[in-house]
Amino acid sequence: MRAPSRPLGAALGAVLALSLSGCGSSAPEGTGQVKLTLWHNSADPAPLLEMYKKFEKQSGHKIELVSIPSDGFEDTTQTKWATGDRPDILEYHATVSGLLALNPAENLRDLTGEAYIARSGDLYQAAGSVNGKVYAAITGFPQVFGLYYNKKVFTKAGLTPPTNFAELAAACPKLKAAGVTPVFESGGSIWPVQILPILYLAGANQSNAYGKAIAGHSSTLADAGSPFVSGLTAYAKLKTDGCFNKDIVTAKFEDSMKALVTGEAAMVAQHSDMLPALLAAAGGDQKTVDESVGFVGLSSDKPLVTYAPGPIGTFYLPKTGDAAREKASLDFVRFMTGPAYAEYVAASKTFPVFKDVPDPQGVSSVLQDVKKAYDTGAVIAFNSDIPGMGGLAQLMSELIAGQKDPQKAATQLQGQVEQAAKAAGLPGW
Amino acid sequence: MVMRNRAAWLPWALPAIVLVTVFFVAPFLLNVRFAFSSWTSFRAEITWNGLENVRTLIDQDLLANAVTVTVLYAILCMAIQNTVSLSLALALQRTSGINTVFRSAFFLPTLISPLAAGYIWRGLLAPDGAVNSFLGIEWAWLGEPSTALVVVAFIDAWKWSGLITLVYIAGLNSIPKALLESATVDGAGPWTRLRRVVFPMLAPALTFNVAVTLVGALSAYDVIAATTGGGPGDHTRALNVVMRQQWGQGFFGSASALGFTVTLLVIATAVPLVWWLRRREVTG
C-alpha cells in the first residue's frame, strides 16, 4: 500500500481541519451569540415570525426555525421528541394533557419564577403547568370554541342563533325547510367532529370540575348517564334528525368554511384560530366575512364558549445542558413576554394574555363576537387536563359511521385515558 | 457436487445476506423488545411489561379489527393486482410500437408517490368529484363502509399493476416458442395452451408477484392515509394506521407491538406461501 502523495495528504488535512472547525459551537467564541433551534408550528402567523426576527436583531443570537407541519403537528413533534432530539425552544400545546406527554419534570426547564406569570391572571392554573411548576410561556390568546353562524341565513329564516343544544335541535328542521344544511361537519378531516360534544360538556365543566373528576379518577367517562355519554347521545340524535350535511364522512374542514361563508350551511362548530381559514374561504374578502358570519357560545344548557390554550405562541424550554444556549433561550422567552409583546398584539390583531397590555385596534367583527362571547362566559375544554383523550376524534368517526353507540364509545375512550393516566403516573390511578 | 456448488454460491449471496442482516434482521432484533415494554412519552424509564401492550390493544377493541382489515385489504390487493396485471400482460405481451405506448402508460402510476396518488383519487372519488359526475350518481366511494376498503384496494392496484404486468410479460416472453408450437401441432387450442403450457411456465413470475403484492399490502399505510385516514369509522383502519395513531398519542410501546404484529403477519404469510408456490414450480 502506497502512502498518499504530498498534495493529496495536504488536501485531506485541510478537509479534516475544516470539518473539525465546523463541529461544536455555532458562533465565534467570546461574542456571547449563539444559534438557537426553534421547533415551530408551520401555521405561525406572519406577525409571530416577525417577532422571531426582531429577537435575532435585538439579541444578536441566531434562530434556526424547524417548521413542523400543522397537519399532524402533534404526531410529528412526538416523533422527533421520541428520538431524543431536543430544540432550544419548543412551540407546543399548553394543555396539561399535551404537556404531560412531554414528560416535563424530566425534559423541560421550570419557568415558575418568571415575571410574565403574575401578569397572566389565572391562566397557569389550568394550562402550561404540572404539579405547581410552570413550564410554558403562553403568549397566544386561547383558542375559543363555539358556533360560527351565517347571519344572513338566520335572518332570512327568522331565527336567532342557538346557544344550547335544545335550541340547536329545534332550529334544525326550520333551517332544513329553508333549504340549508343546519350544521356542517367535516368528518373527512376527522378532528373537527369532536368539537360539538366538547361544547356540550362546557355546561358540566364550570371551574373545570368535570375534567378534574375524570383526571382524578373520581368519575369515569363511561358512568351511566355521565355528561360525556349525554354529549355523545345529543350528538347522535342531531345526526339521526338530519341536522348534518350528507357528506359528513368525507367533507374536509375547508369545505365547512366555504359552506358557512356561502350560506350553504347555517352553522359550523370551530375555534377562533380558524378565522384566517374563514377569510381564505371568502376569497380574502374581510367585508364578506364580517357581513355574513357571527359567533356565539354553545353548551348543553347555556351560552358558554369553550377555550383551550393553543400551540401558536406557546413556548417551552427543553433542557439541553448547554449553559450559553439555555441562557439565550430564556432571553427569548423574556423578549416575547416583555415590552415587545404589545407590538405583537397590535400587529397580529389578537387579544393579549397579559392584563397590562391593551386590546388591539381594528379587530374584525367576527373576532369581536368571539371576545364578547369569551368575556360573557368561558369554560376550559374538559379534556385539557386529561391525558389519553387523543382518541376522541377517531371514536367520533365510529359513532358517525354507526359502529359504536355513545356508551360503548365512552367505555373505549375511558380505557385510553386509563392507559395514559397510568403511564403519566397521575395520582388516583 | 451439490456442496461444492453451494460453497461457490456463497460469495455471490454474501452481499444480499449482509444487506438483509444490517437493514432487516439487526434492527428487528434490536427493536422487538419495545413491543413488550412500557415505553411512552410520559416517562423516561422503559420497563419490560410482557404482553400488557397487546392486552391493552385488545381491551380497546383495536387489535382484532386492525388485523382483519389488514388481511382483507392484502387479499383484495393481491387478487386485484394479479388479475389485472396478468390480463394486461397477455394483451401486451408482443413487443410492438403501440404495445410499448400502452405498457408505458400502465407503468406511469408506479412512478407517482403513493400519497400523491391517494390525494388525486380522493379528489376524483369525492361525492361531487369527477367519477360521480361522469357516472351521473352521488356516492361517497371512500365514505361508505360497503365500498371504502375495496376502492382503496383498487387504488393500490392502479398504482402498482404496471410493475406487476412487466414481471408477467417477462415471464411470458421466457416461455420457449417451440413449446407453444408443439402444443398447437398436437391440437391444443388457445385456452388449452394457456392452461396447460403458459400458466405452469409462468409459475416463477406468479410466485414473485403474489408474494410481493400480498406482503406489500400487509404493510399498507400511505394510500390509506391519503384517501380515508382509516375511515369511515374503522373500516379501513389497518395495523399501520393504528400504529401511527398510537404513536401520535405517545404510546410507543403499543405502537411497537402493532409494528411487531405486522412483522409476524408478513412472516406467517410469506414463508408458507412462497414455500408452497415454489413447490408448484418444481412439480408444475
Side-chain angles (χ1 to χ4, degrees), chain A residues 71-72 74-76 78-79 81-82 97 100-103 106-107 188 190 246-247 249-250 252 387-391 394-395 397-398 401 403-404 408 412 415-417 419-420 422-425, chain B residues 38-45 53 56-57 59-62 65 119 122 126-127 138 140-145 228-235 237 244-252 254:
Chain A
D71 192 8
E74 296 79 10
D75 292 7
T76 311
Q78 283 281 1
T79 303
W81 191 259
S97 56
L100 282 170
L102 298 174
N103 188 8
E106 188 84 22
N107 297 316
I190 302 178
K246 277 190 202 158
D247 59 347
V249 176
T250 52
K252 306 293 280 184
M389 289 291 289
Q394 298 293 343
L395 280 168
S397 300
E398 292 174 42
Q403 291 179 285
K404 290 247 157 61
K408 202 171 175 199
Q412 192 172 331
Q416 293 175 19
V417 169
Q419 184 186 4
K422 281 182 180 169
Chain B
S38 65
W39 186 24
T40 69
S41 63
F42 296 93
R43 55 173 65 193
E45 62 271 26
N53 294 325
T56 303
L57 291 167
D59 288 348
Q60 293 180 14
D61 285 349
L62 293 171
N65 178 70
Y119 291 132
R122 193 177 72 193
E138 195 176 303
W141 296 96
L142 296 165
E144 289 291 339
T228 63
D234 60 5
H235 284 98
R237 208 178 286 167
R244 165 85 181 179
Q245 287 165 0
Q246 288 287 308
W247 180 272
Q249 290 184 54
F251 302 136
F252 304 144
S254 307

Side-chain angles (χ1 to χ4, degrees), chain B residues 73-83 209-211 213-214 217:
Chain B
Y73 178 75
I75 292 170
L76 277 171
C77 286
M78 185 268 288
I80 298 168
Q81 281 186 50
N82 282 283
T83 309
N209 282 343
V210 168
T213 50
L214 200 63

Side-chain angles (χ1 to χ4, degrees), chain A residues 367-378:
Chain A
L367 194 55
Q368 284 176 28
D369 276 2
V370 171
K371 184 70 177 2
K372 195 172 139 196
Y374 178 84
D375 290 340
T376 306

Side-chain angles (χ1 to χ4, degrees), chain B residues 162-182:
Chain B
L163 188 68
I164 304 300
T165 303
L166 285 190
V167 177
Y168 275 127
I169 288 175
L172 286 170
N173 286 336
S174 70
I175 299 172
K177 277 201 177 116
L179 205 59
L180 289 163
E181 284 164 6
S182 306

